Amino acid sequence: MGATREIFWNTGSAAVAAMYLLALVAVGALAHGFRRRRDIWRRGKPLDRTDHPLRRLSRLLADTVSQRKVARVAEGGVPHAIFFWAFLLLFAGTLLVMAQADLLTPFFNFNLLSGDFYRLYSLTLDLAGLLAFVALGVLAARRFVIRPPGLERTPGDATIHLLLLAILVTGFIVEGFRMAATELRDNPGLALWSPVGYLFAELFAGMSDQAQRVAHRALWLAHMLLALGFIAIIPWTKLRHIATTSGNSFFEPDEPKGTLAPVDLDDESAERFGASAVGDLFWKDLFDADACTKCGRCQQRCPAWLTGKPLSPMKVIADIGDVAETASENGLIDAVSRDALWSCTTCGACEEICPASIEHVGKIIEMRRSLVLMAGEFPGDEARRACDAIEINGNPFGLSGASRGDWANGLPVSVADGKSETEILYFTGCYASFDPRNSKVAESFIKICAAAGVSVAVLGKVERCCGEPARKLGNEYLYRMVAESNIAAIRASGARRIVTACPHCFNTLARDYRELGFDLPVEHHSTFIRRLVGEGRLKLNPAPFSATYHDSCYLARYRDIVEAPRVVVEAAGGRLAEMEWSGSETFCCGAGGGRILAEERMGTPIVDERLRMARKTGASTLIAACPFCLSMFEDGIKRSDAHQSLKAFDLAEVVVRSLENP
């Protein structure tokens, strides 16, 4: 007997016909379910996410087949990826059987499932089934026994696990009965190519031929009904993420990270701005709710959640989905809650770790826009006063704009007048202009430029807040006002290139101002200093010191600037000890998302958790490359009892210290 088997052995033509009929019913239920989901998605505003279709399709296939976003977190992610790959092989094997039975045999009289190919086919599917069984067991143990925080456990989850288990087990039992009645007697060598099925076949070998056939047919029907039932319920349960999570790879934004939806403040027909109802969000925002796998990764990385604040990015997405499901035109913000919305630092950790490519931050900003622009609500009176100060004085401190450039007195820096040219325009930012601690950073940067022979100009009193904190709080009107003022001042200055030490200014000028027609190159001081060192224009005299470097969220996650500041630290003599969360997985200082303007009233201070990580490295120097981070660290260290053992510095200060070494 050759290496092959009879397809649909012992099932009968009536059972096969019933299978195909029920398959049509299952596919119909699948299609109807997704049509219903589509109607829910359409409750959101239109948004084009189909440009560059080939690039999007390539990304979808790469993400789906490789499971790279899922498997990047070993705990839970790796077994999920293994289960997916195994189930994909089993599904492909089923399709191959259908192709053999319905196409190759009747039309071409050709048996692909024979010989060595069939042996390899049998072994591959058997091992795939075993891997799927083991991976499913690991996932079930994690969800229902280990029970990590944030991973939900519902009756529906248990039902889905039991359904998948039943499909796998009945598949092996069906295979075992078939092999017991055929291969064990007639072709034992072939049976060894299905090792798991062989074990089951040995269990049933003592049964009579009739009993084996009856049991096989009953289990085959059960297996078929379970598999088709699985297909039918996909859009009606959280299993819909099989399609929507992959779909989200196709619908990912192609804009730079952190790009927010534009607001047409000049539209006189607009009845409201921001999102207070589901219909104010985009269809993609509602699609995200279906793509969410509720794995809890975003929550486990959220600095607000981890420090006792009422923000779970996962719950925000679920709440949006619940409101969309009910077709309610009101109550979106109440469902999510104001405290949750104001707790967000917009650090992007949730989006960075999400295996489903969900966009959390934009939704939160849209709801904040509604609160600020339509209802005049802020996270606190101090944030309202800061925004008022930005509008009147151009800075959140309420200090006179005329003194904005006083920090530069006596330094080799000029005030841009549009006539004389300099190599760079230094956009100082509010903190370096008015906060004495951060003014030292600006002074250090000017000293670096002087040592490298770089001529520098500043805007002086005509510079205003870049507008980023106000925009992240939802105050789009104030952001637009100061942005247009800055753009006009920069154009009048004659600047050709801008450098800033503030990642928030950097992102705003380099990305957000582009929407307003601004097109000058903008660089952060970390990459600028690295280039000066690399080109030999800046000569350092390093003295060894122990340090740990804190990645600013708006540098590492939003701009992928991770290596440059570390190269500079090491060139200055720093022996780096990395914190447990660093690089693109950095932990926020707590100042982003406009939170620098608001008091942190709930939970424990986010910066205290980051300082704990810094102290754990044993380093004596904590280096930042952001004025917000530096300010938070200084305040946090002063509150603690460890201020004698840990000192915070900006990258530029460390470089200047190296310049001054003998």
Side-chain angles (χ1 to χ4, degrees), residues 231-249:
I231 293 172
I233 68 170
I234 285 175
W236 308 92
T237 66
K238 66 186 298 182
L239 286 170
R240 69 176 74 99
H241 79 265
I242 295 172
T244 50
T245 298
S246 298
N248 242 8
S249 290

Side-chain angles (χ1 to χ4, degrees), residues 268-287:
E268 296 181 356
S269 65
E271 297 181 357
R272 58 191 183 196
F273 298 107
S276 59
V278 164
D280 298 327
L281 295 170
F282 293 105
W283 70 263
K284 172 63 166 54
D285 295 318
L286 310 187
F287 186 88

Side-chain angles (χ1 to χ4, degrees), residues 548-551 577-582 610 613-614 617 622:
T548 186
Y549 174 73
H550 164 76
D551 291 278
E578 295 290 355
M579 286 184 263
E580 53 192 281
W581 287 5
S582 61
R610 190 52 167 169
M613 298 179 191
T617 66
L622 171 58

Side-chain angles (χ1 to χ4, degrees), residues 344-509:
C344 179
T345 67
T346 67
C347 70
C350 50
E351 295 185 9
E352 182 73 23
I353 199 63
C354 180
S357 306
I358 290 171
E359 301 160 58
H360 308 77
V361 175
K363 300 170 181 53
I364 290 173
I365 298 299
E366 285 299 315
M367 287 182 271
R368 284 184 175 183
R369 283 172 171 172
S370 176
L371 289 172
V372 173
L373 297 177
M374 304 306 299
E377 295 186 31
F378 287 84
D381 288 339
E382 72 284 357
R384 185 194 306 274
R385 289 193 295 270
C387 286
D388 289 342
I390 292 173
E391 184 173 2
I392 297 170
N393 301 101
N395 66 81
F397 308 108
L399 300 174
S400 170
S403 62
R404 193 175 188 102
D406 289 356
W407 66 270
N409 291 338
L411 294 172
V413 58
S414 61
V415 177
D417 56 9
K419 299 176 182 178
S420 57
E421 290 187 359
T422 56
E423 190 168 342
I424 64 168
L425 175 71
Y426 179 51
F427 192 90
T428 314
C430 297
Y431 272 74
S433 296
F434 296 104
D435 172 48
R437 176 65 188 87
N438 276 286
S439 292
K440 295 179 181 178
V441 177
E443 294 170 13
S444 295
F445 180 72
I446 298 303
K447 291 179 180 178
I448 291 169
C449 290
V454 177
S455 57
V456 185
V458 294
L459 292 176
K461 64 182 180 181
V462 299
E463 181 185 295
R464 309 194 76 186
C465 174
C466 70
E468 191 268 352
R471 192 182 201 201
K472 292 300 167 55
L473 285 176
N475 197 338
E476 190 73 15
Y477 171 81
L478 179 56
Y479 157 73
R480 188 71 58 85
M481 183 180 75
V482 294
E484 290 175 348
S485 175
N486 280 327
I487 290 172
I490 293 171
R491 285 173 174 164
S493 74
R496 297 176 298 174
R497 174 177 293 276
I498 298 172
V499 177
T500 180
C502 176
H504 298 267
C505 296
F506 171 47
N507 275 273
T508 304
L509 271 66

Side-chain angles (χ1 to χ4, degrees), residues 61-75:
L61 292 174
D63 286 349
T64 302
V65 174
S66 71
Q67 291 285 286
R68 56 192 177 189
K69 291 185 177 181
V70 174
R72 63 179 294 188
V73 176
E75 184 183 357

